Amino acid sequence: MDSFVEQLKRGTEEEFTEESAWDGSAVNTTSSSLPAIYLPLLPRYLLHPTTRGRKSTEFQETKKACLNYIQDALLQHQWQRAAEFMTNYLETLENTSAEQRMAAPEVIWRIGTEILCHHSKSSVEEFNYFAEQMKNLGVKKYLGVCLEHVFHLLCNGLIDDAYQNLSLAEGWRYGEQTIAQDKELKLIQAYKGLLDYYNWAKKRKAVLELDGDFADSVEQEMHSFFRQAAVNLKEIIKIPGVWDPFVKCYVDRRGESKKTLMSVLKILHEIVPSHELMLDYNAMLQKSKKRKHHRLGLEIIFTLLDFAGWKEHVKAWSCLAKQILENSSKHLDWVREEWNSRKDWWPAFHFSHYLAKRNWQENESLACEKALVAGILLGKDCKYFKYVSHEGCKAKKEKFRTMKKFVKKHSSTHLRASGVLDSCTHL
């Protein structure tokens, strides 16, 4: 019995001009090299032939019911059941309604992709074949299908296949280019540049390992990847938008100065303050000799921890603890300025008794770093600090005794005297 991929193949070859009888008895005529998802019989009320004389409303109602069954199966992760109904739903490609014929490829692509990504009997080869058929069915969706096909290949580690698909898509043109297609072409160009960068970095690493003992052809190939990546990414980052995954690659390839890199990362901070590159940016600022860079670094690390995605990031808390300690004696006003805008909500957001207990149980290193920050900012009576330091001392861990003494001295001497702790609510 046929899978919906096989049915799609037969339908494409016949340009969907012949009527189909879905009785589950068709003979498999596809290439034996293509893996198949074998499907049992469909419910009887969906097994009727498509005839030219049948009213369109009856056909449409049947397909609408079929789509509802598919959606229900998808929601319940019943991939085999969804595939069974999908073979019947392909008849929408023969629909007499021009509007529905145009919409059908998009629906079939979305549903088919979901099934093939999760079905236990699907394979990369079958997914590739399905994607190619869908590209041909809906020319206006060609670029979008290409992009998603490339993402699937990349997720499966098929870098060369993904690159080949991007190259083909980059040169594709059909009719008058729409705004949507223009955006998709820009994305295709961006990801092609990213893969050029990947290939260049891989070749460069191999060359460095050879310690100069390599053929001229290797150097030429490496330079080719370098040039292609530079051209693509240079054009992309000129376009307004968030292109942060490509920015660092572009700078690293061109060998830009630290000043230029910091300038780019500053823009990225303004657009996406929670981006993972902010830790690298903070580290660069701290190594600088300029006072304004140290101030900006403190702002960046505080801002980073405003976002829930960073709440349990050990390195971020470690950076904050270190920078608070470094600035508490030299630039206490910086710490005060950052803390004053957060003292009303950070205690509940980061330093509750519940979080102290959970962090201690799940990640002792995280609990330790947060406890140090909590103790300095909120004082030794902060419930987070009290719980973690108590548990640490109970476990006879010397570092917690040292931390307890340090916080008692440090927060009272420097922070409380300066007014940083005034009006704080200890949780």
Side-chain angles (χ1 to χ4, degrees), residues 22 44 103 123 149 173-174 183 212 252 258 314 340 373 379 406 426:
W22 297 88
R44 184 172 298 277
S123 65
H149 187 198
R173 295 293 183 274
Y174 179 83
K183 290 180 179 179
D252 179 47
K258 185 176 289 187
V314 180
N340 281 342
V373 173
F406 178 83
H426 296 177

PDB file of all heavy atoms in Angstrom, residues 22 44 103 123 149 173-174 183 212 252 258 314 340 373 379 406 426:
ATOM      1  N   TRP A  22      -9.276   5.618  -3.791  1.00  0.00           N
ATOM      2  CA  TRP A  22      -8.471   5.302  -2.610  1.00  0.00           C
ATOM      3  C   TRP A  22      -9.055   4.081  -1.916  1.00  0.00           C
ATOM      4  O   TRP A  22      -9.703   4.187  -0.895  1.00  0.00           O
ATOM      5  CB  TRP A  22      -8.473   6.503  -1.660  1.00  0.00           C
ATOM      6  CG  TRP A  22      -7.839   7.689  -2.273  1.00  0.00           C
ATOM      7  CD1 TRP A  22      -8.432   8.644  -3.046  1.00  0.00           C
ATOM      8  CD2 TRP A  22      -6.480   8.041  -2.200  1.00  0.00           C
ATOM      9  NE1 TRP A  22      -7.540   9.568  -3.457  1.00  0.00           N
ATOM     10  CE2 TRP A  22      -6.316   9.230  -2.941  1.00  0.00           C
ATOM     11  CE3 TRP A  22      -5.358   7.479  -1.571  1.00  0.00           C
ATOM     12  CZ2 TRP A  22      -5.102   9.856  -3.076  1.00  0.00           C
ATOM     13  CZ3 TRP A  22      -4.143   8.114  -1.701  1.00  0.00           C
ATOM     14  CH2 TRP A  22      -4.029   9.284  -2.450  1.00  0.00           C
ATOM     15  N   ARG A  44     -14.028   3.807   6.000  1.00  0.00           N
ATOM     16  CA  ARG A  44     -14.864   3.581   4.822  1.00  0.00           C
ATOM     17  C   ARG A  44     -15.497   4.873   4.301  1.00  0.00           C
ATOM     18  O   ARG A  44     -15.615   5.086   3.093  1.00  0.00           O
ATOM     19  CB  ARG A  44     -15.957   2.565   5.168  1.00  0.00           C
ATOM     20  CG  ARG A  44     -16.836   2.172   3.983  1.00  0.00           C
ATOM     21  CD  ARG A  44     -17.759   1.042   4.349  1.00  0.00           C
ATOM     22  NE  ARG A  44     -16.996  -0.145   4.701  1.00  0.00           N
ATOM     23  CZ  ARG A  44     -16.517  -1.000   3.804  1.00  0.00           C
ATOM     24  NH1 ARG A  44     -16.697  -0.769   2.515  1.00  0.00           N
ATOM     25  NH2 ARG A  44     -15.842  -2.058   4.182  1.00  0.00           N
ATOM     26  N   ALA A 103      -3.868  26.925  -2.152  1.00  0.00           N
ATOM     27  CA  ALA A 103      -3.584  26.767  -0.722  1.00  0.00           C
ATOM     28  C   ALA A 103      -3.160  25.348  -0.372  1.00  0.00           C
ATOM     29  O   ALA A 103      -2.432  25.129   0.607  1.00  0.00           O
ATOM     30  CB  ALA A 103      -4.815  27.154   0.094  1.00  0.00           C
ATOM     31  N   SER A 123      12.580   8.502   6.727  1.00  0.00           N
ATOM     32  CA  SER A 123      14.038   8.611   6.592  1.00  0.00           C
ATOM     33  C   SER A 123      14.378   9.944   5.936  1.00  0.00           C
ATOM     34  O   SER A 123      13.508  10.626   5.393  1.00  0.00           O
ATOM     35  CB  SER A 123      14.572   7.467   5.732  1.00  0.00           C
ATOM     36  OG  SER A 123      14.079   7.587   4.408  1.00  0.00           O
ATOM     37  N   HIS A 149      13.770  22.962   4.065  1.00  0.00           N
ATOM     38  CA  HIS A 149      14.479  21.736   3.682  1.00  0.00           C
ATOM     39  C   HIS A 149      15.937  21.815   4.123  1.00  0.00           C
ATOM     40  O   HIS A 149      16.498  20.848   4.661  1.00  0.00           O
ATOM     41  CB  HIS A 149      14.387  21.548   2.157  1.00  0.00           C
ATOM     42  CG  HIS A 149      14.942  20.255   1.672  1.00  0.00           C
ATOM     43  ND1 HIS A 149      15.297  20.032   0.365  1.00  0.00           N
ATOM     44  CD2 HIS A 149      15.227  19.088   2.334  1.00  0.00           C
ATOM     45  CE1 HIS A 149      15.756  18.801   0.233  1.00  0.00           C
ATOM     46  NE2 HIS A 149      15.726  18.219   1.406  1.00  0.00           N
ATOM     47  N   ARG A 173      14.622  31.816  -9.999  1.00  0.00           N
ATOM     48  CA  ARG A 173      13.781  32.980 -10.284  1.00  0.00           C
ATOM     49  C   ARG A 173      12.496  32.496 -10.947  1.00  0.00           C
ATOM     50  O   ARG A 173      12.507  31.579 -11.770  1.00  0.00           O
ATOM     51  CB  ARG A 173      14.493  33.957 -11.230  1.00  0.00           C
ATOM     52  CG  ARG A 173      15.739  34.606 -10.650  1.00  0.00           C
ATOM     53  CD  ARG A 173      15.425  35.543  -9.487  1.00  0.00           C
ATOM     54  NE  ARG A 173      16.635  36.200  -9.010  1.00  0.00           N
ATOM     55  CZ  ARG A 173      17.460  35.693  -8.131  1.00  0.00           C
ATOM     56  NH1 ARG A 173      17.229  34.482  -7.629  1.00  0.00           N
ATOM     57  NH2 ARG A 173      18.527  36.352  -7.745  1.00  0.00           N
ATOM     58  N   TYR A 174      11.393  33.141 -10.609  1.00  0.00           N
ATOM     59  CA  TYR A 174      10.117  32.794 -11.245  1.00  0.00           C
ATOM     60  C   TYR A 174       9.230  34.027 -11.279  1.00  0.00           C
ATOM     61  O   TYR A 174       8.794  34.516 -10.229  1.00  0.00           O
ATOM     62  CB  TYR A 174       9.409  31.668 -10.485  1.00  0.00           C
ATOM     63  CG  TYR A 174       8.075  31.293 -11.091  1.00  0.00           C
ATOM     64  CD1 TYR A 174       7.999  30.417 -12.164  1.00  0.00           C
ATOM     65  CD2 TYR A 174       6.882  31.848 -10.597  1.00  0.00           C
ATOM     66  CE1 TYR A 174       6.777  30.083 -12.737  1.00  0.00           C
ATOM     67  CE2 TYR A 174       5.657  31.518 -11.162  1.00  0.00           C
ATOM     68  CZ  TYR A 174       5.611  30.637 -12.232  1.00  0.00           C
ATOM     69  OH  TYR A 174       4.402  30.303 -12.800  1.00  0.00           O
ATOM     70  N   LYS A 183      12.789  38.641   0.768  1.00  0.00           N
ATOM     71  CA  LYS A 183      13.258  38.368   2.136  1.00  0.00           C
ATOM     72  C   LYS A 183      13.818  36.952   2.251  1.00  0.00           C
ATOM     73  O   LYS A 183      14.824  36.722   2.922  1.00  0.00           O
ATOM     74  CB  LYS A 183      12.104  38.559   3.126  1.00  0.00           C
ATOM     75  CG  LYS A 183      11.676  40.007   3.309  1.00  0.00           C
ATOM     76  CD  LYS A 183      10.524  40.116   4.292  1.00  0.00           C
ATOM     77  CE  LYS A 183      10.111  41.566   4.500  1.00  0.00           C
ATOM     78  NZ  LYS A 183       8.964  41.682   5.434  1.00  0.00           N
ATOM     79  N   GLY A 212      51.815  24.291   8.157  1.00  0.00           N
ATOM     80  CA  GLY A 212      52.443  24.823   6.942  1.00  0.00           C
ATOM     81  C   GLY A 212      52.704  23.802   5.860  1.00  0.00           C
ATOM     82  O   GLY A 212      53.057  24.151   4.734  1.00  0.00           O
ATOM     83  N   ASP A 252      34.989  37.795  12.534  1.00  0.00           N
ATOM     84  CA  ASP A 252      36.060  36.811  12.718  1.00  0.00           C
ATOM     85  C   ASP A 252      36.676  36.481  11.317  1.00  0.00           C
ATOM     86  O   ASP A 252      37.892  36.242  11.250  1.00  0.00           O
ATOM     87  CB  ASP A 252      35.443  35.567  13.372  1.00  0.00           C
ATOM     88  CG  ASP A 252      36.463  34.477  13.576  1.00  0.00           C
ATOM     89  OD1 ASP A 252      37.554  34.786  14.084  1.00  0.00           O
ATOM     90  OD2 ASP A 252      36.190  33.328  13.218  1.00  0.00           O
ATOM     91  N   LYS A 258      39.607  44.725  17.674  1.00  0.00           N
ATOM     92  CA  LYS A 258      38.730  44.571  18.837  1.00  0.00           C
ATOM     93  C   LYS A 258      37.776  45.761  18.948  1.00  0.00           C
ATOM     94  O   LYS A 258      36.628  45.601  19.357  1.00  0.00           O
ATOM     95  CB  LYS A 258      39.571  44.441  20.099  1.00  0.00           C
ATOM     96  CG  LYS A 258      38.759  44.166  21.347  1.00  0.00           C
ATOM     97  CD  LYS A 258      39.644  43.956  22.564  1.00  0.00           C
ATOM     98  CE  LYS A 258      40.377  42.639  22.505  1.00  0.00           C
ATOM     99  NZ  LYS A 258      41.118  42.346  23.745  1.00  0.00           N
ATOM    100  N   VAL A 314      25.316  29.849  35.596  1.00  0.00           N
ATOM    101  CA  VAL A 314      26.363  29.980  36.627  1.00  0.00           C
ATOM    102  C   VAL A 314      27.394  31.039  36.256  1.00  0.00           C
ATOM    103  O   VAL A 314      27.791  31.870  37.085  1.00  0.00           O
ATOM    104  CB  VAL A 314      27.060  28.624  36.863  1.00  0.00           C
ATOM    105  CG1 VAL A 314      28.136  28.762  37.934  1.00  0.00           C
ATOM    106  CG2 VAL A 314      26.047  27.570  37.277  1.00  0.00           C
ATOM    107  N   ASN A 340      19.350  50.077  42.350  1.00  0.00           N
ATOM    108  CA  ASN A 340      18.166  50.872  42.691  1.00  0.00           C
ATOM    109  C   ASN A 340      16.997  50.624  41.739  1.00  0.00           C
ATOM    110  O   ASN A 340      15.833  50.665  42.144  1.00  0.00           O
ATOM    111  CB  ASN A 340      18.508  52.363  42.708  1.00  0.00           C
ATOM    112  CG  ASN A 340      19.214  52.780  43.989  1.00  0.00           C
ATOM    113  OD1 ASN A 340      19.163  52.055  44.989  1.00  0.00           O
ATOM    114  ND2 ASN A 340      19.891  53.912  43.967  1.00  0.00           N
ATOM    115  N   VAL A 373      26.061  37.059  45.688  1.00  0.00           N
ATOM    116  CA  VAL A 373      25.461  38.297  45.160  1.00  0.00           C
ATOM    117  C   VAL A 373      24.323  38.760  46.071  1.00  0.00           C
ATOM    118  O   VAL A 373      24.225  39.938  46.413  1.00  0.00           O
ATOM    119  CB  VAL A 373      24.937  38.080  43.727  1.00  0.00           C
ATOM    120  CG1 VAL A 373      24.167  39.309  43.247  1.00  0.00           C
ATOM    121  CG2 VAL A 373      26.088  37.781  42.777  1.00  0.00           C
ATOM    122  N   GLY A 379      22.251  41.913  52.035  1.00  0.00           N
ATOM    123  CA  GLY A 379      22.720  41.762  53.411  1.00  0.00           C
ATOM    124  C   GLY A 379      22.618  40.326  53.905  1.00  0.00           C
ATOM    125  O   GLY A 379      21.971  39.469  53.290  1.00  0.00           O
ATOM    126  N   PHE A 406      32.784  36.807  54.880  1.00  0.00           N
ATOM    127  CA  PHE A 406      33.055  37.869  53.915  1.00  0.00           C
ATOM    128  C   PHE A 406      31.833  38.767  53.721  1.00  0.00           C
ATOM    129  O   PHE A 406      31.935  39.982  53.735  1.00  0.00           O
ATOM    130  CB  PHE A 406      33.468  37.245  52.579  1.00  0.00           C
ATOM    131  CG  PHE A 406      33.721  38.251  51.496  1.00  0.00           C
ATOM    132  CD1 PHE A 406      34.943  38.902  51.403  1.00  0.00           C
ATOM    133  CD2 PHE A 406      32.730  38.574  50.577  1.00  0.00           C
ATOM    134  CE1 PHE A 406      35.177  39.843  50.415  1.00  0.00           C
ATOM    135  CE2 PHE A 406      32.950  39.511  49.589  1.00  0.00           C
ATOM    136  CZ  PHE A 406      34.188  40.152  49.513  1.00  0.00           C
ATOM    137  N   HIS A 426      13.951  42.242  52.620  1.00  0.00           N
ATOM    138  CA  HIS A 426      14.642  40.969  52.656  1.00  0.00           C
ATOM    139  C   HIS A 426      13.643  39.831  52.594  1.00  0.00           C
ATOM    140  O   HIS A 426      12.734  39.775  53.394  1.00  0.00           O
ATOM    141  CB  HIS A 426      15.468  40.849  53.952  1.00  0.00           C
ATOM    142  CG  HIS A 426      16.557  41.880  54.011  1.00  0.00           C
ATOM    143  ND1 HIS A 426      17.370  42.012  55.081  1.00  0.00           N
ATOM    144  CD2 HIS A 426      16.956  42.813  53.099  1.00  0.00           C
ATOM    145  CE1 HIS A 426      18.251  43.008  54.850  1.00  0.00           C
ATOM    146  NE2 HIS A 426      17.992  43.481  53.660  1.00  0.00           N
TER     147      HIS A 426
END
